[in-house]
Amino acid sequence: VQLQASGGGLVQPGGSLRLSCTVSGTTLTSYDIGWFRQAPGKEREGVSCIRWMNGWTKYADSVKGRFTILKDNEKNTAYLQIDSLKPDDTATYYCAGRPRETYGSCSLYDSYAYWGQGTLVTVSS
């Protein structure tokens, strides 16, 4: 199972980005996909996750109302739509996958077996 994250860049405060996570090597029906971020000097934080089979989603309180996790079954790709970006959103964003039977909240980074390489989002004027 391989994950490829992309879509990061430099954005002004208030702007938007759509990150992509393309998965190969498996179909995602039996997986959860999570998005995490890590800012310099900070711990990795769970941002959002989706259960592919039924579309159930979860968001961190810090991003509710601004971030939307989406999926495209045909493209085997998950997206993270980020709106109303703030400087505090600056971080490297990672996508990760785990079998849906994995015990524990989907926001726990150590519950994920498969990781993409990360894409940098910088929010600055």
Side-chain angles (χ1 to χ4, degrees):
V1 179
Q2 293 185 327
L3 294 88
Q4 179 77 33
S6 62
L10 174 62
V11 185
Q12 292 187 343
S16 297
L17 275 177
R18 177 171 287 202
L19 307 183
S20 299
C21 177
T22 301
V23 184
S24 59
T26 187
T27 55
L28 290 172
T29 304
S30 59
Y31 277 77
D32 298 334
I33 297 295
W35 283 98
F36 296 81
R37 66 184 180 184
Q38 189 165 19
K42 294 187 177 180
E43 293 188 355
R44 191 166 296 193
E45 173 191 18
V47 172
S48 182
C49 46
I50 186 167
R51 176 145 295 171
W52 207 268
M53 181 181 66
N54 60 12
W56 175 87
T57 59
K58 183 177 180 180
Y59 296 92
D61 288 342
S62 59
V63 306
K64 281 180 181 176
R66 300 189 299 119
F67 288 23
T68 306
I69 190 168
L70 305 163
K71 66 183 180 79
D72 187 321
N73 293 329
E74 291 187 1
K75 295 182 178 179
N76 232 35
T77 298
Y79 302 96
L80 187 68
Q81 176 68 36
I82 310 175
D83 299 315
S84 303
L85 276 157
K86 305 175 182 180
D88 284 350
D89 296 319
T90 295
T92 298
Y93 285 71
Y94 300 88
C95 62
R98 70 175 198 174
R100 71 170 187 257
E101 301 85 10
T102 303
Y103 179 78
S105 170
C106 65
S107 61
L108 298 175
Y109 71 84
D110 57 3
S111 70
Y112 285 80
Y114 307 101
W115 288 85
Q117 83 287 5
T119 185
L120 178 63
V121 173
T122 303
V123 185
S124 175
S125 55

